[in-house]
Amino acid sequence: MADRLDSDNRLLRFILEAIQSASPGVVVDNDSTLSSDSTTEAPSVAAVRERIEGHSVLPYSAMSISISLIEEPYRTLTLTGDAAFTSTDHGAARSVTVLIIGDSVSSALSFPVEWTFVGGAAPSSLDANKDAVLTITSFGPDITDVRAAYAAEP
C-alpha cells in the first residue's frame, strides 16, 4: 500500500509540474498548493492536458523494457527489480523521456551498447527508493544514432 501511495504522490507531483509549466505564473508550493501572481490566470484544462497527454506508463516484464520512439514522449516506469532497456522505431528527431521510479532495493540497469551516453558512462544501477530521468533521442534510423542522458536523485 505504501509503495502505491508513493507512486501516486510522484504522479501527482508530475501533474502539478505540468500545471506549472502550462502557466508559468502559477506556483506549486512544497505542500502541493497552487497559487498565482496577480497577473496570471489559472491554467486551462486544455493547457494542462497538452502537457500531460503524452505521458504513459511503460510495461515492465521480466527485466526487459522496450522503448518505442514513436509513441508518447513522456513515460513512467516503476521498477520491481533489475532492468534491461532496449529501443525501437529509431528515426531522426525522435525523443522519449522516462521517469524511472526506483524499487525498495537497488536495481541493476543495462542499456544497449550502441547508445551513446552524453555526460558520462551508462549507469549500471539505481539506488533503492531513488528516482531517475532517462532521455533518449534518435538522430537517425539506426540504434547507433541514439544519444542518451541520465540523471538520478543523489
Side-chain angles (χ1 to χ4, degrees):
M1 177 68 175
D3 289 340
R4 176 69 182 157
L5 181 60
D6 192 41
S7 180
D8 289 348
N9 284 338
R10 290 178 181 152
L11 182 57
L12 177 60
R13 189 173 0 151
F14 173 82
I15 292 169
L16 290 173
E17 288 170 0
I19 290 170
Q20 188 171 6
S21 67
S23 191
V26 173
V27 176
V28 181
D29 298 331
N30 287 336
D31 64 353
S32 298
T33 302
L34 292 177
S35 60
S36 69
D37 60 28
S38 60
T39 62
T40 305
E41 294 181 32
S44 69
V45 171
V48 173
R49 181 176 293 152
E50 180 181 323
R51 292 291 179 170
I52 63 175
E53 193 170 66
H55 179 264
S56 67
V57 176
L58 278 171
Y60 181 73
S61 173
M63 290 182 46
S64 181
I65 295 98
S66 180
I67 301 171
S68 169
L69 289 162
I70 60 172
E71 294 177 9
E72 295 86 3
Y74 302 105
R75 322 271 175 85
T76 298
L77 170 66
T78 301
L79 295 179
T80 57
D82 298 337
F85 292 84
T86 61
S87 59
T88 61
D89 305 313
H90 307 103
R94 294 180 182 170
S95 185
V96 172
T97 299
V98 181
L99 170 63
I100 303 170
I101 299 172
D103 197 355
S104 59
V105 297
S106 184
S107 299
L109 305 176
S110 64
F111 301 90
V113 295
E114 297 89 353
W115 290 7
T116 299
F117 274 81
V118 296
S124 59
S125 66
L126 178 61
D127 290 340
N129 300 310
K130 299 294 183 177
D131 294 346
V133 175
L134 169 68
T135 299
I136 63 170
T137 303
S138 180
F139 290 92
D142 301 315
I143 193 168
T144 55
D145 297 317
V146 170
R147 300 300 178 266
Y150 176 91
E153 289 181 312

